[in-house]
Amino acid sequence: MKEERSLSLLQLMVNEGLVPSLEEEENRKTVIEKLKQIVVAWVKRVAWQRRLPKQDIAVTSATLLTYGSYGLGVHGSESDIDALCVGPYFATMVDDFFIVLYNMLKSRPEVSEIYCVKDVKVPLMRFVFDGILIDLPFVQLKVLVVPENLDILNPVFLRDIDETGWKSLSRVLANTQICRLVPDLKSMLRCVKFWAKRRGVYGNLNGFLGGIHLAILAAFVCQCDPFVGLSALISHFFKKFAFWPWPRPVELQDETLHPTLNPTETRLYMPIRLPFSSYEYCHSNITKSTFYKIRTEFLRGHNLTKDLLKFDFDWHNVLEPFPYTKKYAWFLKIFLSASKQDELGDWVGWIKSRFCCLLFKLEEVQGLCDPNPAEYIDVNIADPHVIF
């Protein structure tokens, strides 16, 4: 019966369009390969502009490392691709990445809607390549040759990286370590992300759980129960975190690390340790009200999945969309506009990086947002020509 529950859940994921077709997968692979060729050509052009010796120009290289939902293999047909551009020591972000590479990409017929987002913690370029949205941050390594099959966990490549580069790189490091510790995570994580989106507790921007948070939580449950099926893992996931003694940190089991307590980070509502570090935690915008909402949804999931063998059990009940319009009568929309696409990109990035401040302000208003202001804030960032 449990196996039947697992199969029905997998089929539901397919029916909802969460599993991309083989054609879509091949299209994504082709896009990644084209982008890799572009960044290699870019870094050789920069090397020539820097007047490096001919032998250095011949051997120097750059590469792309995917992360996020695509890197973890849980992307859907409509998902974007997060890819980190990894360049050698002489390629800079300001002059080479945001100017030279930007112009090379802008001139490509496959590329559209390209703009730079600079005023954020992780600066990046955002563009559409053959119909797929790409987020492309940058990190500079202190080497001449960046191998295509780069082992990013090798400490040789991690020396002397600046703070901005480290923030960009940390996302790839987290993905890589999660895949190493829990290689068979895809089906469970795909289900958990779908649940979080349906129930309105997904999105670090809005004070909820981001993709990396859910990936670590799902991997943690897989480590605790390595020999059970998908349906049981989902049930254990809800039970585990419905009654988790927060703010006790969640951390993956890794014999190579010796975690140390960071009192500042454990003051977070839901501290989740990054799997490649002994002391770093996932960036979190979770507030008092969003914490309440997340805990409520964990408990609801537990109540609905604690008896998987009931004859009338149905995954559709667990994954029912949150009834916003039935629960709330008032909503807040935020519109942003700009005369130029590049300016809009910077404006959007600036607002996103400070959006959590709005949640804190709303929580200070007595009676306005009790218990959960973030549930009914709808962020709509657009102008007449560009929609994000």
Side-chain angles (χ1 to χ4, degrees):
M1 184 67 78
K2 287 184 177 180
E3 181 64 22
E4 184 178 314
R5 297 286 187 250
S6 296
L7 292 174
S8 66
L9 180 56
L10 289 171
Q11 187 59 50
L12 190 153
M13 296 296 108
V14 174
N15 295 343
E16 291 289 341
L18 301 180
V19 181
S21 65
L22 291 177
E23 181 181 354
E24 290 168 335
E25 288 283 34
E26 287 302 316
N27 187 29
R28 278 177 163 73
K29 290 179 181 178
T30 301
V31 166
I32 291 297
E33 287 305 313
K34 286 183 178 180
L35 283 173
K36 284 185 176 181
Q37 293 171 12
I38 292 171
V39 298
V40 170
W42 160 70
V43 85
K44 289 186 180 296
R45 177 180 296 186
V46 172
W48 179 81
Q49 292 173 344
R50 292 277 191 274
R51 300 178 182 271
L52 266 62
K54 289 184 178 180
Q55 61 269 26
D56 287 355
I57 297 175
V59 299
T60 192
S61 62
T63 192
L64 293 180
L65 297 176
T66 58
Y67 62 98
S69 61
Y70 185 80
L72 290 169
V74 295
H75 55 287
S77 56
E78 301 297 323
S79 300
D80 60 0
I81 295 178
D82 297 305
L84 177 65
C85 177
V86 187
Y89 75 92
F90 57 84
T92 66
M93 177 180 291
V94 174
D95 296 325
D96 302 319
F97 180 73
F98 278 131
I99 296 179
V100 180
L101 182 56
Y102 171 85
N103 289 329
M104 289 178 66
L105 288 169
K106 191 174 183 179
S107 67
R108 300 279 300 204
E110 310 98 324
V111 175
S112 62
E113 301 177 34
I114 183 170
Y115 65 97
C116 301
V117 184
K118 301 177 182 178
D119 189 22
V120 290
K121 293 180 180 178
V122 179
L124 53 83
M125 276 191 278
R126 180 167 290 155
F127 53 92
V128 175
F129 195 108
D130 275 343
I132 298 176
L133 180 63
I134 309 291
D135 277 355
L136 187 70
F138 171 75
V139 65
Q140 178 197 73
L141 301 186
K142 303 303 182 183
V143 295
L144 175 66
V145 180
V146 179
E148 181 179 3
N149 57 345
L150 174 67
D151 177 12
I152 200 59
L153 296 178
N154 187 334
V156 171
F157 297 110
L158 301 180
R159 57 186 176 85
D160 300 327
I161 296 176
D162 61 33
E163 183 179 359
T164 301
W166 185 255
K167 288 177 181 176
S168 301
L169 193 60
S170 65
R171 304 180 181 196
V172 177
L173 290 169
N175 265 43
T176 305
Q177 192 74 328
I178 289 169
C179 292
R180 184 185 72 83
L181 295 173
V182 187
D184 192 17
L185 182 66
K186 293 181 183 179
S187 295
M188 183 190 178
L189 181 54
R190 196 186 299 276
C191 296
V192 166
K193 284 188 66 176
F194 184 56
W195 160 80
K197 291 179 179 180
R198 279 290 186 95
R199 298 304 302 173
V201 292
Y202 184 81
N204 190 46
L205 167 66
N206 299 329
F208 292 110
L209 297 166
I212 186 62
H213 304 97
L214 290 172
I216 295 172
L217 295 181
F220 180 79
V221 173
C222 289
Q223 285 189 327
C224 294
D225 303 291
F227 304 113
V228 300
L230 176 61
S231 61
L233 282 173
I234 298 297
S235 177
H236 294 176
F237 173 84
F238 288 126
K239 181 179 180 180
K240 180 75 69 176
F241 297 115
F243 303 107
W244 186 262
W246 305 104
R248 174 184 169 187
V250 175
E251 53 193 44
L252 297 183
Q253 302 167 28
D254 185 353
E255 295 179 356
T256 65
L257 293 179
H258 303 284
T260 58
L261 187 63
N262 186 331
T264 301
E265 297 294 346
T266 53
R267 285 200 294 268
L268 296 170
Y269 284 100
M270 300 180 71
I272 300 172
R273 197 187 305 275
L274 288 166
F276 61 85
S277 173
S278 299
Y279 57 89
E280 292 184 65
Y281 290 75
C282 296
H283 173 71
S284 175
N285 290 325
I286 294 173
T287 68
K288 180 180 179 180
S289 61
T290 58
F291 174 69
Y292 173 87
K293 166 68 174 173
I294 295 168
R295 289 292 301 271
T296 300
E297 290 299 330
F298 279 143
L299 187 58
R300 175 186 177 274
H302 168 62
N303 288 332
L304 291 173
T305 60
K306 61 185 178 183
D307 191 356
L308 293 170
L309 303 184
K310 287 175 63 177
F311 75 96
D312 60 345
F313 178 84
D314 189 342
W315 286 111
H316 289 89
N317 295 330
V318 182
L319 301 170
E320 180 185 10
F322 186 85
Y324 288 102
T325 55
K326 291 182 179 179
K327 187 164 184 178
Y328 298 107
W330 295 90
F331 296 84
L332 171 65
K333 282 190 176 182
I334 300 173
F335 291 88
L336 302 180
S337 65
S339 58
K340 295 181 181 179
Q341 195 174 49
D342 286 348
E343 292 176 356
L344 181 61
D346 289 338
W347 183 213
V348 169
W350 191 91
I351 290 294
K352 283 185 174 182
S353 67
R354 292 157 178 82
F355 184 75
C356 61
C357 299
L358 175 61
L359 301 183
F360 288 119
K361 291 293 184 182
L362 289 175
E363 288 181 355
E364 294 173 358
V365 180
Q366 290 278 337
L368 173 63
C369 309
D370 187 27
N372 187 26
E375 271 188 7
Y376 54 94
I377 297 175
D378 175 21
V379 185
N380 188 335
I381 301 174
D383 79 356
H385 306 291
V386 185
I387 298 177
F388 294 85

